[in-house]
Amino acid sequence: MIRIVLGAGQRLQQSQLSVQALARLSSVVIFLLASWADTERLALVALQGTLLALPYTLMESLVGRPLSAGLVPDNWSPESWARRVAAAAMLPVGGAAFLATSVALPDTSIGDRLFMIAPVVLQLPLEALFWSTARRRSAQRANLILQLVAVGTILTGLALAATGIRVDVAAVPAQVAVLAWVLLTAARAAPGLTRPGLWASVRVGSAYCGAAIVDLAYALALPSIAGAVAGQTAVVVLRALDLAFGPFHVALSASTREDIIAGRDTRWRTGTRAAAVVALLLVSATVLASERVRDLLAADLAAVGTTVVAAYCGYKALLAVATWLATRHMIWAPARRFLISAVGSRAIAFGGLAVSAVWVDAVGGLALQLLLCEALVVCWFLGRMRLTRPTSPGGSTDRADIPTASSVAS
């Protein structure tokens, strides 16, 4: 029995499910601690949780995706390259985070803003080293980097809240400790590997970074436009449903990261992908069947009815398919072609929002628009993938990995 438990724990540690779940848990815990013991800085903590998407997304696009697509030259040192990319991103990310805080919370002091954005900036090298470690050493060790940061953040947050110290810096001690551990225990550079220049380091993932920025822009625009066309109720309903689908998003993010880590060795049938499907079905069934659950999430959600919720559940199902197709396309397509595909998919999404401004005046119409546009995005990626002749690292082409409709369904 002990061996079974230990084996299950080891498999969970090696899975991206545990990484994503711990990251989300630490964010929720810090927010709750701030709401209980540091209400003065609650808005800063809430904004910090949003800004932490920057290092996560940027390092995945600038480091993880080029590694997955086989674009990083074999004679580059992965660790040196990852560190240079993170260093290049620190100043822009810090400046953008400071500017966002200044606009969103103008009454905060400069010191408060600097303290709040410190964990955002420090997360950049950790995310970059996660990807280089996964490629150079093992996924188990790479996962440990982010898992230790999440656990350390929770423990430090509890200690800071208990002693009355600001909790928006709870991640900093764990980040510094883990970063020191990773750098001090880094594997020696193999003979013959070179350290790329700063511009070359950033340029290799620039197309994926552009696609990520477009995605972030849509994610930020959706609630704003929803509120403008369908009122405050739409914002509340979308946020409540997004919280309900939290377990699904954890599994979906984990499956995407596992695909990127595996690169061209990735498979359609994986345990994490199955977990995402199960989470999608369970959450959908729960919110559709129980009006009480919807009322607990938000009174506005309980008032919109099951038809709207059903449309949103369908939208989430199509979102999962589109995400997996986009990741597969990214791995096999040339970087510029993927960038066009990604921009095209967001053009469809933004076009849907523009149409919403004309004919949508309630939450139901907005949910239907999201569903229809996501169906178009799935068709868009299927079409783009059929036109792509994926190139292997050696330069040969192979159409066997382009999914058909039946393989996607399986």
Side-chain angles (χ1 to χ4, degrees):
M1 178 61 72
I2 295 178
R3 288 184 177 180
I4 294 176
V5 172
L6 291 176
Q10 185 178 19
R11 287 191 296 273
L12 183 61
Q13 191 275 326
Q14 295 173 354
S15 169
Q16 284 299 303
L17 276 173
S18 59
V19 177
Q20 299 301 315
L22 281 173
R24 182 165 291 234
L25 177 62
S26 67
S27 178
V28 171
V29 167
I30 296 304
F31 180 82
L32 292 176
L33 289 174
S35 66
W36 296 335
D38 195 9
T39 54
E40 181 183 351
R41 300 182 183 89
L42 180 58
L44 284 169
V45 171
L47 183 59
Q48 183 186 75
T50 301
L51 292 176
L52 281 170
L54 292 175
Y56 178 93
T57 303
L58 289 178
M59 291 303 101
E60 180 183 284
S61 60
L62 289 171
V63 180
R65 292 180 179 245
L67 282 171
S68 181
L71 299 181
V72 182
D74 293 335
N75 63 336
W76 281 12
S77 168
E79 292 85 358
S80 298
W81 168 61
R83 289 197 296 266
R84 291 196 175 195
V85 172
M90 280 184 170
L91 184 59
V93 168
F98 187 86
L99 178 61
T101 309
S102 302
V103 172
L105 304 171
D107 295 333
T108 56
S109 67
I110 293 179
D112 280 341
R113 297 173 203 176
L114 293 175
F115 276 122
M116 188 275 284
I117 67 175
V120 178
V121 175
L122 284 174
Q123 193 65 22
L124 287 165
L126 290 164
E127 292 287 344
L129 289 170
F130 161 82
W131 289 108
S132 63
T133 302
R135 177 52 58 97
R136 177 83 186 277
R137 303 186 73 169
S138 68
Q140 181 179 5
R141 184 179 177 86
N143 288 354
L144 197 59
I145 295 173
L146 302 184
Q147 289 164 343
L148 288 175
V149 170
V151 173
T153 299
I154 294 172
L155 295 177
T156 304
L158 292 171
L160 293 179
T163 54
I165 302 175
R166 59 189 308 150
V167 299
D168 57 341
V169 294
V172 172
Q175 288 173 320
V176 172
V178 173
L179 188 58
W181 166 67
V182 173
L183 294 177
L184 290 174
T185 60
R188 292 185 177 182
L193 294 182
T194 61
R195 297 180 179 181
L198 188 62
W199 170 240
S201 298
V202 175
R203 185 176 56 185
V204 72
S206 58
Y208 304 117
C209 185
I213 290 173
V214 174
D215 277 337
L216 285 173
Y218 177 75
L220 293 174
L222 176 57
S224 301
I225 297 178
V229 302
Q232 184 177 347
T233 299
V235 179
V236 174
V237 169
L238 288 179
R239 180 56 179 162
L241 285 170
D242 196 53
L243 290 174
F245 278 88
F248 160 71
H249 281 291
V250 168
L252 180 63
S253 297
S255 67
T256 301
R257 282 219 161 184
E258 287 189 353
D259 286 348
I260 295 174
I261 291 172
R264 296 183 176 181
D265 294 327
T266 187
R267 297 170 295 137
W268 277 110
R269 296 183 180 89
T270 65
T272 309
R273 210 185 307 280
V277 173
V278 171
L280 171 68
L281 294 175
L282 289 177
V283 173
S284 299
T286 301
V287 295
L288 284 170
S290 176
E291 184 177 346
R292 184 177 181 182
V293 170
R294 298 198 297 271
D295 187 58
L296 286 173
L297 289 169
D300 287 336
L301 178 59
V304 298
T306 56
T307 303
V308 175
V309 177
Y312 188 86
C313 292
Y315 157 68
K316 286 296 183 183
L318 291 172
L319 176 67
V321 177
T323 301
W324 290 328
L325 289 174
T327 304
R328 191 79 164 192
H329 184 44
M330 180 277 301
I331 292 171
W332 284 99
R336 291 183 180 178
R337 181 173 180 80
F338 171 73
L339 177 59
I340 295 173
S341 300
V343 172
S345 72
R346 291 308 89 192
I348 294 172
F350 274 113
L353 291 181
V355 171
S356 297
V358 176
W359 69 274
V360 169
D361 58 1
V363 182
L366 183 65
L368 179 61
Q369 175 264 312
L370 291 173
L371 174 66
L372 295 177
C373 283
E374 204 61 36
L376 290 176
V377 169
V378 170
C379 295
W380 166 259
F381 275 117
L382 283 172
R384 295 288 292 178
M385 293 172 75
R386 281 196 173 278
L387 294 174
T388 300
R389 293 183 60 84
T391 56
S392 67
S396 63
T397 59
D398 180 14
R399 296 186 62 85
D401 201 72
I402 302 179
T404 61
S406 59
S407 68
V408 172
S410 67

